[in-house]
């Protein structure tokens, strides 16, 4: 863990997905707040609460040896001085094969020095009609209907 | 919609689940921020963005005539002056039949006058070994391991 934290929520998010792609447990642990109140919900998984349960889940996942490539899309941000909420699509490729899209709500907290992740809530999304749309709008930010 | 909003995020959350149980579209619409940046993710559904898409989803759901009873458990809150994040289990009963548990991340925003919901992200949870545990700890608040 890194008590100092990241200079911005966006920097923490970039580090989160880099650690995820690299299956780097130490880098992943540094993204998360060391506080007891963190939570992590992997797709269709249970609520993992606290650094021990959250850390173990990443260690298990990374020891599985599957390397994932992420393409993130439609990131929506809500930001205040102390909290930042990012909602986005995760489009994951494993061994060149595109997986069904996931939706993630990622939350970051400022501890007075820097930013850490305090929540990752990921879940499967309906994929009907989504892939083409996301292909074209990956960098356009939030879509408002 | 109610521009004035609710006196607290908790009051907005209470109104949200009351509207859900009562299948009351007008009450549900009043819970949500009227702003364009709201999002709603129903379990395994797509990301609904903006008041029109979000409102239509509730209208469709409530017109189905299914009445749900909610038992909420393990609510964890992160609160600042402008944002409140609630993470909780939703245990739903339909026509007396217990459904598999859901996990929800609900986010509320203060608009200077009151609080509204800006995000509801619900997804299926692993139900193995969860029901007994939740039965006994429904009022104990967040669990930290």
């Amino acid at each position: 863990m890194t008590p100092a934290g990241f200079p911005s929520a966006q920097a923490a998010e970039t580090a989160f997905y880099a650690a995820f792609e690299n299956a780097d447990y130490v880098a992943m642990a540094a993204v998360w707040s060391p506080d007891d109140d963190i939570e992590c919900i992997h797709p269709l998984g249970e609520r993992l609460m606290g650094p021990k349960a959250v850390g173990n889940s990443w260690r298990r996942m990374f020891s599985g040896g599957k390397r994932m490539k992420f393409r993130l899309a439609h990131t929506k941000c809500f930001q205040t001085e102390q909290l930042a909420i990012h909602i986005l699509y995760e489009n994951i490729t494993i061994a060149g094969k595109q997986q069904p899209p996931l939706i993630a709500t990622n939350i970051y907290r400022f501890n007075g020095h820097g930013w850490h992740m305090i929540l990752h809530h990921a879940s499967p999304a309906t994929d009907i009609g989504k892939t083409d749309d996301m292909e074209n709008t990956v960098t356009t930010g939030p879509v408002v209907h």
Side-chain angles (χ1 to χ4, degrees), chain A:
Chain A
M1 305 287 178
T2 305
F6 292 83
S8 66
Q10 187 53 58
E13 181 142 290
T14 300
F16 173 74
Y17 285 106
F20 212 154
E21 286 200 334
N22 295 326
D24 182 337
Y25 173 75
V26 172
M28 177 56 81
V31 170
W32 285 84
S33 163
D35 296 336
D36 279 344
D37 58 2
I38 62 172
E39 296 210 14
C40 182
I41 302 148
H42 296 294
L44 304 180
E46 58 184 322
R47 278 171 76 184
L48 303 169
M49 305 182 195
K52 194 175 157 190
V54 173
N56 284 344
S57 77
W58 293 109
R59 210 189 293 265
R60 264 197 311 276
M61 191 184 302
F62 294 164
S63 71
K66 256 194 274 185
R67 293 294 284 270
M68 305 182 189
K69 284 291 294 177
F70 282 80
R71 191 169 52 79
L72 309 176
H74 287 312
T75 300
K76 158 88 62 74
C77 302
F78 298 102
Q79 172 105 30
T80 66
E81 284 181 13
Q82 292 163 287
L83 288 174
I85 299 154
H86 294 186
I87 311 162
L88 61 153
Y89 284 105
E90 297 176 346
N91 298 289
I92 299 175
T93 310
I94 300 177
K97 200 176 155 208
Q98 176 84 41
Q99 308 298 308
L102 301 173
I103 301 170
T105 298
N106 295 327
I107 303 185
Y108 304 89
R109 180 167 61 192
F110 184 67
N111 67 0
H113 303 283
W115 291 84
H116 286 106
M117 181 171 259
I118 57 170
L119 173 75
H120 172 65
H121 179 174
S123 63
T126 303
D127 58 354
I128 299 163
K130 278 285 151 202
T131 309
D132 286 353
D133 175 50
M134 289 193 298
E135 215 66 67
N136 295 328
T137 55
V138 63
T139 57
T140 60
V143 167
V144 177
H145 294 178

